[in-house]
């Protein structure tokens, strides 16, 4: 038995009929998988085993919208109108930024990866906020139009998702406001402190010196020097 790697072609009788795949997994799964294979301009090996990954992702995406799909989830639906957490806002706007760049560069394979990361993060955050889930559905719609249209309808919209404006990226949601500083004594890290990035050197030093763990480490001694690098480290030299 010989083996040969060749392009799909009618003349070679090696074309895969998409109808059977659509029948088993749906058109959106096939569409996502084809984009996930790699850059558009490159030749890629065809292996239908990978479609299960794309199909699994769509099922996980669908599960995110449970409050709007399950008529009995009344309590969850009322909570969906609440303001999203800071982490959920950050996840959404990271995704908007990356997907927008990928669409402009025709890098659809990396967009699919970004969606997978986004859904995993939102699932871990237990995010059910409409303010996050509606823009996410719009972002997904060029990649998985059928499931996105269905979710848009379940979210209470009578018009098509194709007419919805593309979400706008806002940098304020991904900008870090705090930093977890490693607090070191003579070059050895002993603990960490969450401090605002807006603090000056003197303010950082004052906050660290006032911390009870610093007092325990110093045991009444006065440090020779306190080295503060804003946004990076604090090192106390005893």
């Amino acid at each position: 038995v010989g083996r040969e790697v060749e392009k799909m072609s009618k003349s070679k009788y090696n074309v895969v009929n998409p109808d059977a795949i659509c029948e088993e997994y749906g058109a959106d799964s096939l569409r996502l998988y084809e984009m996930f294979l790699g850059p558009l301009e490159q030749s890629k090996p065809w292996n239908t085993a990978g479609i299960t990954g794309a199909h699994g992702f769509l099922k996980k995406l669908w599960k995110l919208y449970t409050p709007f799909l399950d008529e009995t989830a009344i309590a969850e639906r009322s909570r969906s109108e609440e303001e999203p957490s800071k982490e959920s806002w950050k996840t959404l706007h990271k995704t908007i930024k990356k997907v927008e760049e990928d669409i402009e560069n025709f890098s659809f394979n990396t967009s699919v990866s970004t969606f997978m990361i986004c859904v995993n993060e939102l699932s871990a955050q237990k995010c059910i906020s409409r303010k996050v889930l509606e823009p996410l559905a719009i972002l997904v719609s060029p990649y998985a139009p059928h499931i996105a249209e269905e979710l848009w309808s379940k979210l209470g919209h009578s018009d098509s998702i194709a007419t919805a404006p593309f979400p706008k990226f806002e940098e304020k949601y991904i900008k870090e406001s705090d930093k977890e500083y490693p607090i070191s004594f003579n070059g050895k890290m002993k603990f960490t402190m969450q401090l605002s990035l807006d603090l000056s050197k003197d303010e950082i030093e004052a906050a660290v010196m006032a911390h009870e763990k610093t007092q325990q480490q110093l045991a009444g001694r006065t440090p020779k020097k306190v080295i503060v690098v804003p946004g990076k480290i604090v090192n106390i030299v005893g």
Side-chain angles (χ1 to χ4, degrees):
V1 176
R3 181 176 176 178
E4 186 179 351
V5 177
E6 56 189 9
K7 288 186 178 181
M8 282 189 192
S9 169
K10 287 182 181 178
S11 63
K12 295 180 184 294
Y13 300 100
N14 63 356
V15 175
V16 176
N17 187 339
D19 293 347
I21 297 169
C22 290
E23 187 70 31
E24 186 174 355
Y25 297 103
D28 282 344
S29 295
L30 174 61
R31 184 185 175 99
L32 267 184
Y33 174 64
E34 286 186 318
M35 286 188 275
F36 189 52
L37 281 173
L40 290 176
E41 68 276 8
Q42 292 181 11
S43 297
K44 288 134 337 227
W46 179 258
N47 181 5
T48 51
I51 293 178
T52 54
H55 187 62
F57 158 71
L58 288 177
K59 288 199 284 189
K60 199 165 186 178
L61 172 72
W62 182 265
K63 199 174 177 182
L64 262 185
Y65 293 78
T66 298
F68 303 97
L69 305 172
D70 186 356
E71 294 297 328
T72 62
I74 300 168
E76 287 84 353
R77 201 172 302 124
S78 63
R79 284 198 298 114
S80 70
E81 303 302 326
E82 296 174 2
E83 193 70 13
S85 67
K86 190 166 69 173
E87 291 77 19
S88 296
W89 274 129
K90 184 178 180 182
T91 296
L92 172 66
H93 282 271
K94 275 194 309 181
T95 306
I96 294 172
K97 185 175 188 289
K98 185 71 171 70
V99 170
E100 195 169 19
E101 290 169 355
D102 288 341
I103 289 174
E104 289 174 358
N105 297 322
F106 295 97
S107 301
F108 303 127
N109 57 313
T110 52
S111 281
V112 178
S113 300
T114 302
F115 286 133
M116 291 176 175
I117 293 167
C118 175
V119 169
N120 284 339
E121 288 183 5
L122 292 177
S123 299
Q125 294 159 9
K126 295 182 169 52
C127 177
I128 56 172
S129 174
R130 178 185 288 272
K131 290 181 180 179
V132 169
L133 297 183
E134 281 196 352
L136 178 60
I138 298 169
L139 285 175
V140 169
S141 61
Y143 297 81
H146 303 88
I147 193 171
E149 194 71 61
E150 183 69 18
L151 290 172
W152 193 245
S153 174
K154 296 291 184 182
L155 284 162
H157 298 279
S158 56
D159 53 339
S160 171
I161 196 170
T163 63
F166 196 82
K168 289 184 178 178
F169 165 66
E170 293 185 49
E171 192 170 356
K172 65 180 181 181
Y173 290 113
I174 66 168
K175 191 176 180 181
E176 296 288 353
S177 58
D178 294 327
K179 163 73 179 175
E180 190 172 23
Y181 281 87
I183 312 300
S184 302
F185 291 80
N186 297 319
K188 293 182 180 179
M189 196 194 85
K190 297 297 182 180
F191 64 94
T192 60
M193 274 184 77
Q194 196 81 18
L195 295 170
S196 171
L197 286 169
D198 296 330
L199 295 178
S200 66
K201 268 188 177 185
D202 292 339
E203 288 170 329
I204 293 168
E205 183 178 335
V208 171
M209 294 305 294
H211 198 281
E212 59 178 19
K213 288 185 178 178
T214 303
Q215 300 301 322
Q216 287 172 7
Q217 290 291 329
L218 291 173
R221 291 177 285 108
T222 302
K224 294 176 183 175
K225 190 192 293 185
V226 179
I227 301 166
V228 177
V229 182
K232 293 188 178 180
I233 61 159
V234 177
N235 185 31
I236 299 169
V237 181

